[in-house]
Amino acid sequence: MSRREDYEARTEGLLAPIAEANGVSVYDVEYVKEGSDYYLRAYIDKPEGVNIQDCENVSRALSDMLDREDFIPDAYILEVSSPGLGRALKKDRHLQASLGEEVEIKLYKPVEKCKEYAGILESFDSETLTVREGDAPRTFSRSDIALVRLALKL
């Protein structure tokens, strides 16, 4: 397990009971470096959507817990937010919850001169992801996919 994965897993372990106590669920946790700064981002969700108070309550409790545990030696910026409407579907649990929904896929390299596709998420496994474009299913290798996210419905 990489250092990043360890930090994310440990943070998610601390976050789960805090989220439950605040009536939200943990969507994802990520630890990333952007420029010269490290960010620890916690994404929370609930069926009716999270509000600023939810984020503030969870952020304060998580910050206190992270200060107590002190397992991340680097200076970082803690952010707690909603995953948003066009949320990235990074984990199998995200894909499972989004079966039957319209998704957008961005590929690392073009397939048939195109790097972006959209369709209804039909299925996935450890190696592939299948979407329906109109009447035709299209299967992509997960190793070719740079990003999968829910399509924005404006």
Side-chain angles (χ1 to χ4, degrees), residues 3 30-41 72 74-79:
R3 181 176 72 132
E30 65 180 8
Y31 182 75
V32 296
K33 185 172 185 178
E34 294 178 1
S36 61
D37 295 321
Y38 286 98
Y39 290 85
L40 180 61
R41 293 190 176 116
I72 302 175
D74 309 307
Y76 61 87
I77 298 163
L78 175 64
E79 295 179 349

Side-chain angles (χ1 to χ4, degrees), residues 24-145:
V24 299
S25 63
V26 176
Y27 185 79
D28 201 8
V29 173
E30 65 180 8
Y31 182 75
V32 296
K33 185 172 185 178
E34 294 178 1
S36 61
D37 295 321
Y38 286 98
Y39 290 85
L40 180 61
R41 293 190 176 116
Y43 298 99
I44 59 174
D45 203 10
K46 64 182 179 184
E48 62 275 17
V50 298
N51 58 44
I52 192 73
Q53 193 64 53
D54 295 324
C55 294
E56 183 179 333
N57 292 342
V58 170
S59 180
R60 287 177 193 269
L62 179 59
S63 179
D64 291 347
M65 186 66 74
L66 288 166
D67 286 347
R68 262 182 262 142
E69 296 293 320
D70 199 27
F71 58 86
I72 302 175
D74 309 307
Y76 61 87
I77 298 163
L78 175 64
E79 295 179 349
V80 176
S81 70
S82 161
L85 295 175
R87 60 191 62 196
L89 306 175
K90 296 179 184 177
K91 299 180 178 178
D92 284 354
R93 70 177 188 241
H94 302 152
L95 293 168
Q96 183 66 41
S98 300
L99 286 171
E101 298 285 332
E102 186 174 357
V103 297
E104 298 171 346
I105 298 173
K106 292 187 180 187
L107 304 174
Y108 290 113
K109 294 183 269 182
V111 172
E112 299 172 11
K113 298 183 182 180
C114 190
K115 286 180 73 172
E116 296 184 15
Y117 292 87
I120 304 299
L121 180 60
E122 285 199 332
S123 64
F124 69 93
D125 59 32
S126 62
E127 303 292 322
T128 63
L129 187 140
T130 302
V131 298
R132 178 165 297 282
E133 298 176 295
D135 291 332
R138 180 180 287 269
T139 300
F140 298 94
S141 171
R142 286 179 76 166
S143 63
D144 294 337
I145 298 173

